[in-house]
């Protein structure tokens, strides 16, 4: 009798439930329909976005087409001081490219120093109406040594 019992024993796990496979398989039809719907939705959204971008582009072109009424009053060159190698004249502004040989920062520094040295070593008017003149720096040093610095009255 013991032999009969072993023939009827079914494989079971630790809980005593029979081990096997599920009777129902995965149904592929709903998955396929979902993917078709997802693809269709993606295409529709892409077309809508393309239309939206075209509409925004048309709005931007319409806005750019109308110049500001104040545009004619605006100066072409920015106010001083300007950056080095930035256009400093109307001719350079029309040419759109700076002359790198003449407008190089080192050349500009040499030119500014030469102008300043010329001012320091020559006579000239600072304010002709007010009677203020510029004298060479060496002369100014000699006058200060002779007369001293001006002081305020107490």
């Amino acid at each position: 009798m013991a032999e009969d019992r072993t023939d009827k024993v079914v494989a079971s796990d630790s809980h005593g439930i029979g081990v096997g496979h599920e009777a129902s398989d995965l149904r592929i039809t709903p998955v396929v329909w979902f993917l078709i719907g997802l693809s269709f939705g993606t295409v529709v959204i892409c077309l809508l976005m393309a239309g939206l971008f075209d509409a925004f582009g048309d709005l931007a072109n319409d806005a750019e087409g109308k110049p500001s009424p104040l545009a004619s009053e605006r100066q072409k060159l920015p106010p001083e001081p300007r950056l080095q190698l930035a256009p400093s004249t109307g001719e350079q502004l029309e040419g759109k490219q700076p002359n790198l040989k003449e407008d190089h920062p080192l050349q500009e520094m040499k030119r500014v120093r030469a102008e300043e040295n010329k001012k320091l070593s020559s006579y000239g008017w600072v304010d002709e109406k007010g009677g203020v003149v510029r004298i060479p720096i060496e002369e100014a040093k000699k006058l200060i040594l002779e007369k001293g610095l001006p002081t305020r009255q107490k």
Side-chain angles (χ1 to χ4, degrees):
M1 253 208 207
E3 293 176 14
D4 292 337
R5 285 183 135 204
T6 56
D7 291 339
K8 294 183 179 180
V9 173
V10 178
S12 65
D13 61 0
S14 62
H15 300 292
I17 301 173
V19 177
H21 66 281
E22 291 186 22
S24 66
D25 292 331
L26 175 68
R27 291 180 297 159
I28 195 75
T29 309
V31 174
V32 170
W33 280 111
F34 173 76
L35 291 176
I36 290 171
L38 185 65
S39 300
F40 179 74
T42 303
V43 169
V44 168
I45 289 174
C46 287
L47 292 174
L48 289 173
M49 290 300 292
L52 185 65
F53 281 131
D54 285 342
F56 284 154
D58 292 342
L59 285 175
N61 290 338
D62 290 344
E64 288 176 6
K66 303 172 195 170
S68 169
L70 301 175
S72 61
E73 298 175 12
R74 191 179 319 154
Q75 296 179 7
K76 289 187 177 184
L77 291 174
E80 293 284 343
R82 293 187 191 98
L83 297 175
Q84 290 178 331
L85 298 181
S88 57
T89 63
E91 296 142 0
Q92 287 179 348
L93 188 63
E94 297 300 323
K96 305 274 187 198
Q97 290 186 359
N99 185 350
L100 295 178
K101 289 184 179 178
E102 293 178 9
D103 295 334
H104 192 274
L106 294 176
Q107 295 299 326
E108 183 180 359
M109 188 168 51
K110 287 178 184 177
R111 186 174 63 245
V112 169
R113 282 187 180 168
E115 291 172 5
E116 294 296 322
N117 285 335
K118 183 179 175 187
K119 284 182 184 178
L120 287 174
S121 61
S122 66
Y123 291 94
W125 288 102
V126 175
D127 183 12
E128 195 169 353
K129 290 181 182 178
V132 180
V133 294
R134 178 183 67 239
I135 61 172
I137 193 164
E138 294 301 323
E139 292 293 322
K141 288 178 185 178
K142 288 178 188 174
L143 286 173
I144 288 176
L145 288 175
E146 289 174 8
K147 296 182 179 179
L149 290 173
T151 58
R152 287 189 269 170
Q153 299 285 332
K154 288 188 177 180

